Amino acid sequence: MVEYKVKVTTGDALFSGSSDYIYVTLIGTEGKSERTNLDNYGLDFMTRMTGTYTVTNPSSLGRLLLVKLEKEQYLFLPENEWFCSKVIVTTPEGDVILFPCYRWVSRGEVVELRGGKARKIFEDELPLLVDHRKKELAIHKKLFQWIVYAEGVPHINNATELSAVPSEVQFSFSKMSEFIYTKAAAIAELKLKCLVDSTEQWKDLNDLKTVFWNNRTPISEYVSEHWKEDDFFGSQFLNGTNPNVIQRCTALPSNFPVTDKMVQPFLKDGSSLATEMKHELLLNYPQGTDEGNIFLCDYKRLEGVPTRVVNGKPLSLTAALCLFYKNPEDKLLPIAIQLEQQPSQQNPIFLPSDSKHDWLLAKIYVRNADFSEFQISYHLLGTHLLAEAFTMATFRSLPVMHPLHKLLIPHFRYTLQINLLARKRLISPDGPLANGAMGLEGLKELLKRAHSEITYSSLCLPENIVARGLESIPNFYYREDGLKLWNIINSFVQGMVEHFYSSDSEVSRDSELQDWINEIFIHGFLGNKKSGIPKRFNKVKEVVKFITMIIFTVSAQHCALNMGQFDYGGWVPNNPLLLRKAPPTTKGRSSMNTILEVLPNIGTTVNNMASTWLLSKRYSDTIPLGTYPDQHFDEAVPMQMIKQFQAQLSYLSQSIIKRNATLTLPYNYLNPAEMENSVSI
C-alpha cells in the first residue's frame, strides 16, 4: 500500500465551513484511488481550518492529475455550502502538488480540481486533461451567458437576480452585510431628519453641512469651503473624480468664439490667447518645448441627449465648453464658459469678470456636465462594463489551468455582482442615476455615444496622456501616479507573460487565448475595428500590452474614478446630479436664490449624498492591488515575480504618502495600498 497526504483548506470568510461529509478521489495516469471519506477526530472543515488526511492505494497512481471532491449530507442537518480554498497533495514519490479550488461546493456536487503548473492547451497531451479543459469551459459557457443590455453598449452577463450568479463570484457574507448596513444607516439618518423624501428647495447651502452627523471626509469638508474658488474649480479637472476630459487647446473650436478682449484681463500682462496656445521654443531649456498654457473641456457628447421630463418640462443637460489658463503660478484657472455648443446671443460666454453669481452659476452647469460624463462615459462604461466583458470572456474562454486565467482572476473579484446590483439599484428606472438629468433613455444614449468613441489607445494611459497633450502640465497627480503605476503593472505582466509564452508562435498556437480576445472584441467592443482593439494576438508584446490595460483599468482607473465620489460629490453643489432649470441666456440676473432654485431639491440631494458615500466607502474585506490571498500559482518564478510586484507597489505607495504630506489637498486615489484589485464597488 502507498499513502498520499491530502491537506484540505477551508476558506476564511464567514460561514465557509460545513458539517457535511467530504469525500475525495485521487486520479492519476495509472488509475484512481478509492473514494475516501475525509474524517479526523473532532471537527473537520470549519472556517479557516486546514485538515491533513491520508488516502491509501495498493500502488502508485503515477502522475497525479485530478482531485475529485464530493459533499454529502451528515445526519439530518440542513444544507450548508462549503468553501474549499485549496487541496495540497503529497505523493509517495515526494511531489507536493497544489490543486486550487476557491469555490463553494454544494451537496451532491462533484468538483474535479486540476493541479500542477499552469499549462496552455497545446501543452496538454493526455486525453483526460484535454477533455477536462473542454468540459470546464462548456460548464462555464452555460453559467456565464452574454445578453444585450442596450444597443451599442458592451454585452453583459444574463443573470438578473443574485441567485443566478455562481456563489464563488458573489460578495462574501461580511461584504454584503457591511454593504447593506452602510446603506441602511445612511438612509435611516436621513429619514430621522425628515430629509429623504423632501421635495423642498434648500433655503441656505450651509444646511448641507448638517445632512450627516458622521459621514464626512477631510476632502469633502475642504470642498464645502472652497468650491466657489476658481483655482479649486480648475484643480478638479486634473485630480478630482474625472481627470479624463481636459486636454491641451492649441486652437479654439469654431463654435467657441472666445476673443482676446474677453480673456486678456486673466492672462499674464501683454499676452494673448494665440501666444498662450502656441508651442514656443524655450531657449533656456534645450531639452524641450513649452506646449502652451490653454486647456479645454468640451462636453459636446452631451448635446441632444434626451433628459427626464419633470412637471411637463425636460431637465437641462448642457453640452458646455470651458476654457482654462495655466497661469505663471501653475494654477489652472477657468477663463471662459459657454453652456451650449452653438454660439448665439442667448448663449453668452461667461467670464470671471461677470457678477459672482453669474460666474458661479456657469461653473455649476459645467460641473453638472462633468458629473454626467464622468458617471456614465468613464465610470460606468469605461470601468464597470468593460470589466464585466473582460470577466465574462475569461470565465468562458480560459480554463483555470490557463496561465492568464490564474493571472487575471484575482482582478475580477465581485465584478459580476456589483454590476448586477448597479443595474438593479443605481441605473434601474427608479435608481439614482436614472433619476438624474438624463433618465434611463438618456443614460443608454450617452453610453452608446461614448462606446462608439472608445479606442484602445484611450484605454492605455501613456497614449491617452500624450493624445490629450498633458505630458507637462504641473500638479497633475493622476498622471504622475498613474504612469508610474502603469509601468509597474506592465513590468509585472511582461515578466509573467514572457515566462509562459517563450515565442510569438506560442501565442498564435494558443486557441483558448485567441477565443478569449475574440470574445472581448465581439462582446466588449461590438466588433468595432475602428476601436483598435485586437481580435487576435500574433505577438507576445501584444498580449503584454492588453493584459496591462485590463489590470490598470479594473484597479487603478476604477479607483481613480470611484473612490473620490463622496470627497468631491458629497458637497452636491460641486457635483450636482441634476439641475432643475435651464441655463441662463443673459447675464446680470443671477442671485444666490437663483442658484438655490437651480440645484436639486432636498430629497434628491441627500439621496445622492448617501449613494456616493456607499460607493466611496472602503470595505473591510478589500484586497489591495498586488495582494493575492488565493494561491493560484505554485511555480517558483511566478511567485517571485509577485513578490517583486508587491515591493514596487509598496515603494510607490510610500512615495505617494510622502508627497501627499506636503499637499493642502492630497491625492490618494492611485495609492496602491488603498486600491482594490478589482471593480468590486
Side-chain angles (χ1 to χ4, degrees):
M1 299 292 286
V2 296
E3 292 186 348
Y4 290 81
K5 296 298 181 184
V6 180
K7 285 187 176 181
V8 182
T9 300
T10 297
D12 59 3
L14 288 175
F15 308 117
S16 292
S18 175
S19 56
D20 280 351
Y21 290 119
I22 305 297
Y23 294 88
V24 67
T25 305
L26 306 182
I27 303 171
T29 54
E30 301 299 323
K32 63 181 181 180
S33 71
E34 291 292 326
R35 181 173 180 262
T36 303
N37 180 18
L38 302 180
D39 186 18
N40 288 332
Y41 180 77
L43 295 175
D44 293 293
F45 312 111
M46 295 295 100
T47 300
R48 300 185 184 89
M49 178 181 289
T50 296
T52 302
Y53 308 89
T54 300
V55 175
T56 60
N57 204 60
S59 61
S60 172
L61 297 171
R63 176 185 158 199
L64 193 58
L65 305 177
L66 302 173
V67 167
K68 181 164 72 173
L69 296 174
E70 298 172 84
K71 180 172 177 285
E72 292 185 1
Q73 184 175 12
Y74 174 72
L75 298 178
F76 299 102
L77 296 179
E79 163 78 291
N80 51 359
E81 283 193 314
W82 171 53
F83 188 89
C84 175
S85 292
K86 60 185 177 182
V87 177
I88 297 177
V89 180
T90 303
T91 70
E93 293 79 17
D95 295 326
V96 180
I97 305 171
L98 169 70
F99 293 81
C101 185
Y102 302 106
R103 58 169 295 179
W104 294 91
V105 182
S106 301
R107 282 179 185 165
E109 189 176 3
V110 177
V111 176
E112 286 189 348
L113 306 179
R114 172 85 182 268
K117 297 179 180 179
R119 295 177 72 86
K120 303 178 285 294
I121 186 169
F122 57 81
E123 295 172 324
D124 273 340
E125 298 174 354
L126 296 174
L128 177 65
L129 296 182
V130 173
D131 186 57
H132 185 266
R133 295 179 89 105
K134 291 179 179 178
K135 285 181 178 178
E136 179 191 330
L137 292 182
I139 291 170
H140 280 179
K141 285 178 179 177
K142 290 181 180 179
L143 284 175
F144 305 99
Q145 296 185 28
W146 299 102
I147 59 167
V148 175
Y149 171 60
E151 181 188 356
V153 175
H155 299 162
I156 62 172
N157 183 23
N158 71 340
T160 56
E161 299 295 334
L162 290 180
S163 59
V165 178
S167 298
E168 55 266 25
V169 300
Q170 291 185 26
F171 286 0
S172 66
F173 178 82
S174 60
K175 169 68 176 271
M176 196 64 195
S177 300
E178 199 173 344
F179 189 83
I180 293 171
Y181 173 79
T182 301
K183 179 181 179 182
I187 296 298
E189 181 177 346
L190 298 176
K191 286 185 175 180
L192 184 64
K193 296 178 178 179
C194 300
L195 297 174
V196 72
D197 296 316
S198 174
T199 58
E200 294 184 12
Q201 174 185 309
W202 293 99
K203 300 292 192 296
D204 187 332
L205 288 183
N206 285 322
D207 293 341
L208 278 165
K209 297 178 180 179
T210 65
V211 168
F212 287 119
W213 289 310
N214 298 312
N215 294 0
R216 55 190 66 190
T217 68
I219 293 180
S220 70
E221 296 286 286
Y222 182 94
V223 172
S224 70
E225 298 297 328
H226 297 273
W227 70 286
K228 297 178 183 179
E229 299 168 9
D230 284 358
D231 58 342
F232 170 73
F233 177 85
S235 72
Q236 293 181 88
F237 294 88
L238 298 175
N239 300 313
T241 52
N242 189 22
N244 304 283
V245 176
I246 194 165
Q247 59 184 335
R248 193 177 296 278
C249 180
T250 55
L252 287 174
S254 60
N255 62 329
F256 195 17
V258 180
T259 65
D260 276 333
K261 183 178 180 181
M262 292 177 181
V263 298
Q264 255 180 346
F266 320 118
L267 307 178
K268 65 183 180 183
D269 291 345
S271 191
S272 66
L273 270 176
T275 299
E276 295 295 341
M277 283 192 291
K278 73 180 181 180
H279 293 222
E280 292 185 310
L281 181 65
L282 292 181
L283 299 178
N284 295 330
Y285 298 92
Q287 76 274 17
T289 60
D290 180 6
E291 296 180 326
N293 297 316
I294 303 298
F295 298 84
L296 176 69
C297 283
D298 188 346
Y299 298 94
K300 57 187 175 184
R301 193 153 54 200
L302 299 178
E303 186 175 27
V305 170
T307 59
R308 283 197 306 126
V309 175
V310 177
N311 297 326
K313 294 182 179 180
L315 291 173
S316 171
L317 183 62
T318 56
L321 299 103
C322 186
L323 202 65
F324 298 86
Y325 170 56
K326 181 187 74 66
N327 72 9
E329 288 76 42
D330 286 339
K331 291 182 177 181
L332 188 67
L333 303 174
I335 57 173
I337 293 172
Q338 182 177 291
L339 296 179
E340 300 288 0
Q341 286 286 305
Q342 302 308 316
S344 70
Q345 288 187 342
Q346 287 74 44
N347 184 26
I349 294 175
F350 292 91
L351 306 168
S353 53
D354 293 336
S355 75
K356 67 177 183 179
H357 291 121
D358 276 356
W359 182 234
L360 180 59
L361 191 60
K363 289 191 293 182
I364 288 173
Y365 276 93
V366 171
R367 293 303 303 157
N368 173 242
D370 190 75
F371 178 87
S372 300
E373 274 280 44
F374 152 65
Q375 285 289 17
I376 308 307
S377 301
Y378 296 103
H379 184 202
L380 175 58
L381 172 63
T383 61
H384 280 263
L385 291 181
L386 291 186
E388 183 164 356
F390 302 147
T391 303
M392 289 282 290
T394 300
F395 278 122
R396 289 170 53 86
S397 300
L398 300 179
V400 295
M401 281 306 292
H402 196 286
L404 296 186
H405 182 109
K406 290 175 177 284
L407 176 62
L408 285 170
I409 202 63
H411 300 286
F412 301 142
R413 179 176 181 253
Y414 296 162
T415 296
L416 295 184
Q417 175 158 347
I418 195 62
N419 281 9
L420 175 57
L421 287 174
R423 287 190 284 273
K424 288 177 69 69
R425 301 180 185 180
L426 288 178
I427 55 176
S428 62
D430 296 324
L433 279 183
N435 278 299
M438 287 175 285
L440 198 55
E441 179 188 356
L443 184 150
K444 290 182 178 180
E445 173 62 24
L446 182 54
L447 280 175
K448 179 181 177 181
R449 294 182 184 187
H451 188 265
S452 70
E453 297 176 14
I454 281 184
T455 64
Y456 189 14
S457 180
S458 71
L459 297 174
C460 297
L461 186 66
E463 297 171 35
N464 181 298
I465 293 296
V466 171
R468 292 194 284 144
L470 302 178
E471 306 98 309
S472 62
I473 186 171
N475 305 320
F476 191 12
Y477 308 119
Y478 167 80
R479 177 201 63 216
E480 292 179 15
D481 299 346
L483 290 178
K484 291 174 185 175
L485 199 48
W486 177 279
N487 291 335
I488 290 171
I489 294 171
N490 181 252
S491 176
F492 169 60
V493 170
Q494 182 176 355
M496 292 291 255
V497 171
E498 290 180 352
H499 175 71
F500 289 105
Y501 292 91
S502 60
S503 66
D504 292 340
S505 64
E506 289 198 351
V507 168
S508 297
R509 289 174 62 199
D510 191 343
S511 57
E512 291 170 341
L513 174 65
Q514 303 302 343
D515 288 344
W516 177 75
I517 187 59
N518 188 61
E519 282 229 335
I520 290 173
F521 177 71
I522 296 298
H523 295 284
F525 296 90
L526 307 184
N528 180 11
K529 295 179 181 179
K530 293 180 181 179
S531 69
I533 295 291
K535 61 180 179 180
R536 70 169 284 116
F537 292 126
N538 297 303
K539 298 179 181 297
V540 173
K541 66 179 182 181
E542 295 170 351
V543 180
V544 171
K545 179 179 178 180
F546 199 80
I547 300 287
T548 299
M549 181 274 290
I550 287 179
I551 295 178
F552 184 87
T553 297
V554 303
S555 58
Q557 182 69 359
H558 178 256
C559 188
L561 272 58
N562 185 77
M563 301 314 292
Q565 287 190 83
F566 188 82
D567 284 346
Y568 286 91
W571 183 256
V572 171
N574 186 62
N575 255 359
L577 174 70
L578 61 86
L579 297 174
R580 293 186 293 164
K581 290 195 171 184
T585 56
T586 58
K587 296 185 180 185
R589 298 184 180 180
S590 300
S591 64
M592 180 50 71
N593 192 56
T594 309
I595 292 171
L596 293 171
E597 290 174 348
V598 162
L599 290 172
N601 65 31
I602 292 174
T604 301
T605 299
V606 300
N607 276 285
N608 190 42
M609 292 171 72
S611 295
T612 56
W613 177 258
L614 178 71
L615 298 175
S616 301
K617 180 177 168 58
R618 193 170 190 266
Y619 291 85
S620 59
D621 74 343
T622 292
I623 296 180
L625 177 64
T627 304
Y628 302 110
D630 295 352
Q631 186 183 357
H632 293 283
F633 288 107
D634 196 28
E635 304 94 310
V637 173
M639 297 288 282
Q640 182 59 34
M641 289 179 183
I642 288 172
K643 288 182 179 179
Q644 293 171 352
F645 182 42
Q646 292 169 340
Q648 289 180 308
L649 292 173
S650 177
Y651 180 79
L652 176 59
S653 180
Q654 292 169 19
S655 69
I656 289 172
I657 292 170
K658 183 177 180 180
R659 189 266 323 277
N660 283 344
T662 68
L663 300 178
T664 302
L665 200 59
Y667 185 79
N668 205 43
Y669 306 131
L670 288 178
N671 180 350
E674 303 292 328
M675 181 184 301
E676 188 100 22
N677 239 341
S678 60
V679 175
S680 64
I681 190 64

